[in-house]
Amino acid sequence: MEKAERLQRLAQAVLEMDLEGVGPLVEEALAAGLAPAEILAEGLSAGMRRVGELFKSGEIFMPEVLVSCDVYYRGLEILRPLIRKAGCGATRGKMIIGTIHGDIHSVGKDVAVPVFQAAGYDVIDLGVDVADEKFVEAIREHEPDIVGLGTYMTSTFMHTRETVRAIAEAGLRDRVRIICGGPAVDPAAARRMGADDASDDAWEAVAKLDRLVEELRSARRSA
Amino acid sequence: MSEIVDAWVRRLKGKLAPVGELTHWQRMVAAFELRRNDLDLVPVAPELDYWQITYAGYSHREIYNDVDKTTDACIRTWADLRTDAIWMYVDISHQIENFIPPEKRPHHFVHRGDKDYLLFKPLAKTIDEAIELYESRAYERYLEGSRAVTHYTPHMLQLLEFQEKMDRIVPVIVGIATPSNYAETLVEVQQFVRWTVTEPKKVKRYLDLALEERLAALDFYGEIARKHGLHFVCLFGGARTWGPRQLREFGYADEIFVQKAVKLFPYVFWHICGHNLPEAMQLLVQWDGIRAVQYDMPYYSQKLRWPEWCESVARLFAGKRCAMNSPTTQVACHGTAEDVRRMVRQFLEATLPHTTAVVMPGCEIDSYSPVENVRAMIEEARRTLLP
């Protein structure tokens, strides 16, 4: 089988929500000599990008997107240690992400994390109902470029202010850029609360992450 | 007989300045019955359930176990703002506590702050556990002493007592969750929607069980309607992120539920505060007996601007449904008063040429929403001239 065909089948497995099939396909691609990073970028991640296109055009909906994300993860689980071992895990940036305290929803985050990973970000998922102190600790531990605050209700979006304040009081605000995500977010309101941006669209958010990382690196260089 | 209700009735009955030519009740009825020519004003009935608690000077913790304070907050807020309906206070514990053994309840709910929603933990992690919850009839075994009995029902009865003693000048809206809402809430929506793809047969079994419990619950509410004058009922739909396939395969449970509800209550409306709306709206105009729909914004990906969206709904609803919307809960919370006014205006301009409207955001007003924004919503509705 040609390399291009193997990668195409991997992308298709993500698209067709083939939870059982993706593992064997990844193993076969590895056995055929494809590089783990290549399988991820041009197979699984290509599938996630196509999922995004179909979601945006209204051809698939959230339930299908979530299962496609699960398929992506199942493949990624096999590849992740190999990519680390090969030392070819250069990323566009590092991010910690979590659903803000008081909120247990994760639909948006469950989609955003694989989308960001597929776009080349190293994402550490802190889970749901994440206390402000946990975000602070995670910044110290992982030294991310971006902090992603998942806020899925109007009231929990309002907690952005407190989380940003906790990060600032820990003396870490200048080290990171903060972006809110979820259906209730508004970029202007997010900025008023001290964050840097917000997005209700995981795919659109990738461009915002790129810009924020560039701004941060530029600020670091100037400093 | 409730002292808090009687105190308010003594204070208000016969002493309230009229708002327009109709009573609030008559205005809501005219809107629901699509009698456009009979309306004097556009009704405005924001879902104030959590917000009114803090507006009235209480914290959420303070009213959690106090029925009188809860009812006091609702009536006090209404007396002040004179909206066209009173929404009863409801929180997630009312809905799911009777599925939880009493000794585990304290660990299941978390009060995060005086203005925050009650946080809860899901009751089942797998679809099999979720099915077991229903098959074991946990909700019957643990009903006694649950907040459905100790807080929700007495609060509802107090408000209905107020409605009746005030000679039905203002309706009380009672929310009843649908099978899809229950099915999603008990297990967390993100799990449920995944299972609609990966475990469709089990999801069907689960929904059938949820439907059975919900149909029995309607018998209880039917008694309330007969004895205590419950007329206006909001059916809280789940299915907020479902796609067409899910609506086709699993929408039957809510449809059967609606068929029974509309026989029990005169004024039933549907609440859908998710985003996959164009498809769901098509279904809702087909379900007989629903008189109005409280709806939200569509997915950003559906590329519909706000006025266009409102107009497309109004055209779909013409002669069939009353449209209930605006502003979005997000704008009500972090927009300005002028943003709120603009959004209400746009909704009404798009809707009133086609059908009746009630100014009512697609979901509950958040507790953090500024008072001036809620007032702006009411004022804008009141000053809108009907066509």
Side-chain angles (χ1 to χ4, degrees):
Chain A
M1 192 188 297
E2 295 285 325
K3 174 177 146 185
E5 192 184 343
R6 286 191 190 283
L7 293 171
Q8 170 62 26
R9 285 178 65 185
L10 280 159
Q12 203 61 24
V14 173
L15 205 57
E16 291 174 357
M17 303 174 288
D18 188 358
L19 276 163
E20 302 309 316
V22 68
L25 285 173
V26 170
E27 299 287 4
E28 284 171 24
L30 288 168
L34 272 68
E38 195 174 28
I39 297 170
L40 179 62
E42 294 173 41
L44 299 176
S45 298
M48 279 306 295
R49 285 192 291 276
R50 183 73 185 129
V51 166
E53 288 163 11
L54 293 177
F55 178 64
K56 285 188 160 192
S57 62
E59 290 170 71
I60 61 172
F61 289 82
M62 193 55 83
E64 289 78 21
V65 171
L66 282 167
V67 180
S68 285
C69 290
D70 291 345
V71 174
Y72 173 85
Y73 270 124
R74 201 166 275 193
L76 183 64
E77 288 305 305
I78 302 168
L79 296 172
R80 203 193 315 255
L82 302 173
I83 290 171
R84 287 217 179 101
K85 195 172 162 189
C88 51
T91 66
R92 287 159 87 170
K94 190 189 261 191
M95 176 176 198
I96 59 168
I97 190 169
T99 302
I100 208 161
H101 75 92
D103 197 336
I104 58 160
H105 296 88
S106 73
V107 174
K109 184 169 67 62
D110 289 354
V111 173
V113 172
V115 168
F116 297 161
Q117 287 176 329
Y121 279 85
D122 180 9
V123 185
I124 296 135
D125 186 350
L126 304 178
V128 299
D129 188 23
V130 178
D132 295 342
E133 311 84 70
K134 197 170 169 189
F135 277 109
V136 169
E137 282 167 24
I139 294 170
R140 289 203 174 106
E141 182 185 346
H142 300 290
E143 299 184 345
D145 303 298
I146 303 282
V147 175
L149 304 179
T151 66
Y152 302 104
M153 299 191 296
T154 308
S155 63
T156 52
F157 176 49
M158 302 306 284
H159 286 313
T160 297
R161 191 187 306 279
E162 294 152 36
T163 308
V164 172
R165 189 186 303 137
I167 293 169
E169 284 172 0
L172 300 169
R173 182 64 186 91
D174 293 341
R175 294 196 204 170
V176 293
R177 290 291 184 263
I178 300 173
I179 185 166
C180 300
V185 301
D186 172 77
R191 289 187 197 104
R192 281 200 297 275
M193 290 188 282
D196 296 298
D197 210 338
S199 178
D200 61 4
D201 176 340
W203 287 271
E204 175 205 89
V206 171
K208 294 193 170 190
L209 296 185
D210 290 346
R211 179 178 52 75
L212 292 173
V213 168
E214 184 48 44
E215 277 176 22
L216 183 69
R217 288 179 181 164
S218 171
R220 282 173 185 160
R221 280 193 295 272
S222 308
Chain B
M1 283 283 289
S2 157
E3 282 182 26
I4 188 76
V5 170
D6 284 343
W8 273 109
V9 171
R10 278 195 302 276
R11 195 183 307 178
L12 300 177
K13 193 166 182 179
K15 296 167 190 162
L16 290 168
V19 175
E21 293 166 16
L22 303 179
T23 65
H24 303 289
W25 180 286
Q26 290 166 337
R27 193 170 295 122
M28 288 292 281
V29 167
F32 271 52
E33 292 180 351
L34 308 181
R35 290 187 281 112
R36 297 160 73 188
N37 293 335
D38 293 346
L39 278 162
D40 59 343
L41 298 166
V42 176
V44 51
E47 188 182 338
L48 297 178
D49 47 3
Y50 263 71
W51 186 87
Q52 61 198 338
I53 302 301
T54 46
Y55 177 81
Y58 297 112
S59 71
H60 291 163
R61 286 189 187 92
E62 200 176 354
I63 59 96
Y64 193 65
N65 292 310
D66 193 320
V67 175
D68 284 353
K69 284 181 180 173
T70 312
T71 300
D72 181 60
C74 297
I75 301 176
R76 187 180 297 275
T77 304
W78 175 75
D80 211 11
L81 300 179
R82 297 292 300 279
T83 50
D84 288 307
I86 300 174
W87 282 81
M88 67 176 286
Y89 166 83
V90 64
D91 67 45
I92 193 71
S93 68
H94 293 144
Q95 191 175 339
I96 66 171
E97 204 184 59
N98 62 318
F99 284 80
I100 307 168
E103 68 277 11
K104 291 189 177 171
R105 286 173 188 160
H107 310 292
H108 239 90
F109 300 99
V110 184
H111 282 280
R112 269 292 147 74
D114 288 344
K115 287 188 165 189
D116 291 321
Y117 287 98
L118 187 67
L119 195 63
F120 71 103
K121 294 171 189 165
L123 305 189
K125 289 190 175 133
T126 67
I127 184 76
D128 292 323
E129 282 177 21
I131 289 170
E132 171 61 17
L133 267 179
Y134 277 107
E135 285 184 335
S136 66
R137 302 184 90 77
Y139 56 89
E140 287 177 349
R141 278 186 287 137
Y142 304 133
L143 178 64
E144 197 181 326
S146 74
R147 281 172 49 74
V149 174
T150 62
H151 193 267
Y152 175 91
T153 302
H155 169 53
M156 171 173 60
L157 292 177
Q158 284 186 346
L159 285 181
L160 289 170
E161 185 186 338
F162 178 76
Q163 171 191 282
E164 298 300 281
K165 286 182 171 171
M166 291 293 286
D167 300 332
R168 294 189 183 176
I169 63 164
V170 62
V172 167
I173 295 174
V174 169
I176 306 177
T178 64
S180 67
N181 185 293
Y182 258 81
E184 291 186 343
T185 303
L186 294 185
V187 297
E188 289 191 334
V189 62
Q190 53 264 31
Q191 294 303 339
F192 181 85
V193 295
R194 279 180 167 97
W195 296 333
T196 64
V197 177
T198 59
E199 304 267 17
K201 283 185 185 163
K202 288 183 178 178
V203 164
K204 186 174 178 311
R205 170 71 183 144
Y206 178 46
L207 267 177
D208 287 345
L209 290 163
L211 173 62
E212 183 188 336
E213 185 275 332
R214 290 287 78 203
L215 290 176
L218 280 181
D219 292 334
F220 162 77
Y221 286 105
E223 274 297 289
I224 300 283
R226 206 171 54 78
K227 291 182 181 166
H228 302 279
L230 171 58
H231 278 59
F232 284 80
V233 165
C234 170
L235 301 181
F236 287 88
R240 296 161 190 174
T241 55
W242 293 14
R245 185 185 141 196
Q246 283 74 25
L247 290 169
R248 220 171 27 244
E249 287 182 24
F250 306 115
Y252 70 90
D254 282 351
E255 189 173 3
I256 293 168
F257 180 77
V258 165
Q259 284 166 0
K260 180 167 178 176
V262 298
K263 289 179 188 147
L264 297 172
F265 318 106
Y267 302 108
V268 171
F269 66 99
W270 189 269
H271 162 113
I272 179 160
C273 68
H275 297 287
N276 184 26
L277 292 168
E279 190 87 18
M281 289 296 179
Q282 297 287 344
L283 271 184
L284 290 172
V285 288
Q286 290 167 28
W287 289 358
D288 289 337
I290 293 177
R291 291 179 178 270
V293 178
Q294 178 192 8
Y295 67 97
D296 205 341
M297 284 185 84
Y299 270 134
Y300 56 83
S301 59
Q302 287 161 336
K303 309 284 183 211
L304 286 163
R305 288 173 55 246
W306 175 250
E308 290 167 3
W309 167 236
C310 294
E311 188 178 345
S312 70
V313 172
R315 286 181 183 277
L316 183 68
F317 283 8
K320 297 172 188 157
R321 301 284 181 273
C322 167
M324 311 169 97
N325 200 348
S326 202
T328 61
T329 49
Q330 291 88 347
V331 167
C333 190
H334 31 77
T336 63
E338 187 45 46
D339 294 335
V340 169
R341 289 180 199 282
R342 188 182 317 114
M343 213 163 198
V344 170
R345 265 199 310 274
Q346 288 173 335
F347 163 63
L348 293 176
E349 283 166 9
T351 304
L352 291 176
H354 306 285
T355 187
T356 54
V358 176
V359 173
M360 176 191 287
C363 206
E364 71 268 32
I365 299 289
D366 191 87
S367 293
Y368 288 90
S369 302
V371 173
E372 58 268 28
N373 284 7
V374 176
R375 288 194 184 278
M377 175 195 325
I378 296 165
E379 286 162 11
E380 195 60 34
R382 293 287 182 237
R383 74 179 181 201
T384 299
L385 295 175
L386 287 157

